[in-house]
Amino acid sequence: ELVKFTSPRNIIISIPVRIEDPRNQSPLLKEPMEIPIVVIAKALSFYLKQNFILNNIYWSEVNDLYYILKNTLFDIAMIEPVNPLKAIRDKYSADRFVFSSNCPLFYPEGNWNKLSYSDMEKNEVEKIASVNIKKLI
């Protein structure tokens, strides 16, 4: 029903893959908080004309989904390889990534620093910082 409503109106659906990093939980009190990425991939694959953003996705999950879900953008809030923007540039196109700070759950400076200290060209950083999302809005 949501896709039926949003698709003709060109509205983006944002899906939080996780709200909190489970590595922050005590091993004695672990609660499953994530939607399995396989379930998300299967669901999104039915709606190829709908635009999606996957929030709080891990780098390994981007590796699994990038070529499968061509109508999906990925936010950078939990993408944490060494030098994340360089990793994006080396493996993918910056056109499918968007900035997110995940504030107030994270300090926003960490994700701002991904942009500020990147060795990517300015136009590539700007794509992730604002251009890609502006195209959808």
Side-chain angles (χ1 to χ4, degrees), residues 14 18 53-57 74-80 85 97-104 106-115 128-130 133:
S14 178
R18 59 191 52 81
I53 297 176
L54 292 181
N55 299 100
N56 302 332
I57 190 163
F74 307 97
D75 87 5
I76 65 168
M78 286 189 167
I79 294 180
E80 296 292 337
L85 270 58
F97 292 86
V98 295
F99 174 79
S100 172
S101 67
N102 200 13
C103 186
F106 294 160
Y107 292 108
E109 292 83 3
N111 283 305
W112 280 118
N113 288 340
K114 288 177 186 177
L115 300 176
I128 294 171
S130 61
I133 199 70

Side-chain angles (χ1 to χ4, degrees), residues 73-97:
L73 299 175
F74 307 97
D75 87 5
I76 65 168
M78 286 189 167
I79 294 180
E80 296 292 337
V82 175
N83 196 346
L85 270 58
K86 180 182 183 310
I88 289 169
R89 180 193 63 213
D90 291 349
K91 193 161 188 178
Y92 305 113
S93 166
D95 295 333
R96 302 247 325 264
F97 292 86

Side-chain angles (χ1 to χ4, degrees), residues 57-70:
I57 190 163
Y58 292 146
W59 182 240
S60 61
E61 295 165 332
V62 171
N63 292 329
D64 294 339
L65 301 178
Y66 185 87
Y67 295 107
I68 297 169
L69 301 174
K70 297 186 186 295

Side-chain angles (χ1 to χ4, degrees), residues 2-68:
L2 178 62
V3 172
K4 285 180 188 176
F5 178 81
T6 58
S7 192
R9 292 166 177 83
N10 205 22
I11 297 173
I12 307 160
I13 297 176
S14 178
I15 300 173
V17 176
R18 59 191 52 81
I19 300 297
E20 180 182 346
D21 190 333
R23 297 172 295 184
N24 293 334
Q25 292 184 330
S26 164
L28 301 174
L29 301 172
K30 281 213 183 261
E31 284 293 321
M33 301 181 300
E34 303 176 8
I35 303 169
I37 204 67
V38 173
V39 172
I40 293 171
K42 185 174 181 180
L44 300 189
S45 69
F46 288 106
Y47 305 103
L48 300 178
K49 295 187 189 238
Q50 172 64 49
N51 291 316
F52 296 97
I53 297 176
L54 292 181
N55 299 100
N56 302 332
I57 190 163
Y58 292 146
W59 182 240
S60 61
E61 295 165 332
V62 171
N63 292 329
D64 294 339
L65 301 178
Y66 185 87
Y67 295 107
I68 297 169

